[in-house]
Amino acid sequence: MTASVGKVLSKLDRMREQGIWPNGMRYLWTDAFGVVLLVSLYRELGRKEFLEEAEWVVAEVERVLGRPRGLRIGEAPDRDGQYFHYLAMWIFALSRLGTIVPKYRTKAIRLVKDIHHAFVIPGYGVNWKMLEDLSAPYPGFGLGALDSFHGYVVYRLLDQEVLAHEIQQMKIIVKRSYQNLIVTQDLGLGMMLWMSHFFPEEDWVRVQQERSLAILDRMWIDPPGYFCREPGMPAVKFAFTNFGVSLGVQAVGRWPERIARLNSFFETYRSGDEYDNDAITHVMACSSTFPGDLISAAASRVV
């Protein structure tokens, strides 16, 4: 067992003991990363309890957040509606679990078919947030700048034949937007890098990787060793968004020394707000420490 896996197992034990995750309140983004983490641990250690726990989380998410079409953002009262990028991350999680238990791949395809046409405006963009029944865009929200990239990548990873129509619609939006898109938020930059590493031969990947790394380089605060929220905001930092940056940077094979510094800094950093005990912080810390199936070399394996 590697040191990183041992650290993740200890974090998971503490989360379970404190009712943080997976036995806490449901939140789709956190649960997606958590399911991939459990799948990764199952592959690494061959211990069936991790596979069983991943399946349990999926069942709980469907029970608590499931709607006739799609999945609610979270269990808390203020987490209503549906986000496309949360759904896309959940589709990715189901697809990874589906390489072991095929019925979850079927679930992922069905979810794409259920939600895609509600969110996507062909040739134009992807609605960032929808009402919970997917009947209309959520008031006050526009298009998601990264959502077409997210959908394009996870759909291709899932099934390029069955989802050919949906992939083509996403591809058109990606080609229309990638040249002028400038992401400046930390988590968005991390996720763009993560998405870009799956299909490195594509034109949008070269442009967005180079641009994202250049912007992140300006956001690195040394000392003590973290990425600030946006350029020009050196004091503003969040642990869970830094872990998202870490994932993207690791996916493209850059700055290992910065990743080590970042993980070390946030091991003891406390923000003094709700994020200190929020599952999103702790689950994404595990993903930063042990990306596993989130990185393509591992995610390409089928068992």
Side-chain angles (χ1 to χ4, degrees):
M1 182 190 303
T2 65
S4 60
V5 171
K7 186 176 292 187
V8 165
L9 293 178
S10 295
K11 287 179 180 290
L12 273 173
D13 285 343
R14 289 197 298 273
M15 281 191 276
R16 293 188 189 101
E17 289 168 3
Q18 297 171 25
I20 294 174
W21 194 89
N23 50 349
M25 293 185 73
R26 303 271 58 98
Y27 188 53
L28 192 57
W29 182 264
T30 304
D31 287 325
F33 276 88
V35 166
V36 179
L37 176 66
L38 293 170
V39 169
S40 302
L41 289 171
Y42 171 72
R43 289 195 201 279
E44 183 75 12
L45 302 173
R47 287 164 48 180
K48 192 175 180 180
E49 63 263 32
F50 293 116
L51 179 59
E52 292 171 345
E53 193 165 40
E55 293 193 82
W56 178 85
V57 172
V58 172
E60 284 296 287
V61 167
E62 292 177 347
R63 181 183 67 83
V64 176
L65 304 181
R67 297 297 182 264
R69 294 169 63 206
L71 295 147
R72 178 184 162 100
I73 290 167
E75 184 175 357
D78 62 343
R79 291 172 171 176
D80 61 318
Q82 298 194 38
Y83 283 139
F84 182 83
H85 60 296
Y86 281 29
L87 291 160
M89 206 67 221
W90 184 247
I91 290 162
F92 177 81
L94 290 177
S95 72
R96 297 317 307 146
L97 183 54
T99 62
I100 303 167
V101 184
K103 71 177 183 179
Y104 294 101
R105 182 174 175 276
T106 302
K107 281 180 179 287
I109 293 171
R110 186 182 308 124
L111 181 56
V112 173
K113 295 293 187 179
D114 282 345
I115 68 165
H116 175 87
H117 295 290
F119 278 94
V120 176
I121 306 170
Y124 186 67
V126 182
N127 286 305
W128 192 55
K129 186 176 183 181
M130 297 288 291
L131 295 175
E132 204 154 302
D133 63 359
L134 299 184
S135 61
Y138 202 99
F141 291 83
L143 303 178
L146 275 66
D147 288 356
S148 58
F149 297 84
H150 211 160
Y152 175 65
V153 167
V154 300
Y155 292 2
R156 284 190 65 185
L157 292 170
L158 179 56
D159 194 313
Q160 298 202 50
E161 293 185 8
V162 174
L163 300 176
H165 175 70
E166 291 84 358
I167 289 167
Q168 181 61 23
Q169 287 194 332
M170 290 299 198
K171 184 177 183 179
I172 289 169
I173 300 169
V174 166
K175 291 183 70 173
R176 179 178 177 271
S177 63
Y178 82 87
Q179 289 281 10
N180 296 321
L181 175 62
I182 300 174
V183 182
T184 60
Q185 190 185 75
D186 54 356
L187 183 56
L189 288 161
M191 294 308 296
M192 176 58 85
L193 288 174
W194 175 75
M195 289 183 273
S196 75
H197 93 281
F198 288 101
F199 302 105
E201 73 283 356
E202 302 206 354
D203 290 341
W204 67 270
V205 168
R206 176 184 51 79
V207 171
Q208 284 299 320
Q209 278 192 9
E210 181 179 331
R211 188 172 295 165
S212 297
L213 287 166
I215 294 171
L216 279 171
D217 194 37
R218 291 161 46 202
M219 293 164 59
W220 178 245
I221 307 302
D222 182 15
Y226 63 80
F227 291 96
C228 64
R229 182 62 163 165
E230 298 221 12
M233 302 174 65
V236 180
K237 56 189 174 295
F238 298 97
F240 81 91
T241 61
N242 266 264
F243 295 137
V245 174
S246 168
L247 172 63
V249 170
Q250 290 183 73
V252 297
R254 299 293 294 271
W255 301 333
E257 71 289 344
R258 291 186 179 182
I259 300 307
R261 295 272 304 283
L262 178 159
N263 284 333
S264 177
F265 173 75
F266 285 106
E267 191 70 35
T268 57
Y269 172 78
R270 297 295 178 268
S271 60
D273 57 24
E274 69 275 11
Y275 285 119
D276 284 341
N277 296 311
D278 200 310
I280 194 172
T281 299
H282 298 280
V283 171
M284 292 197 72
C286 291
S287 298
S288 176
T289 302
F290 175 57
D293 263 42
L294 287 162
I295 304 296
S296 63
S300 64
R301 293 178 298 171
V302 177
V303 299

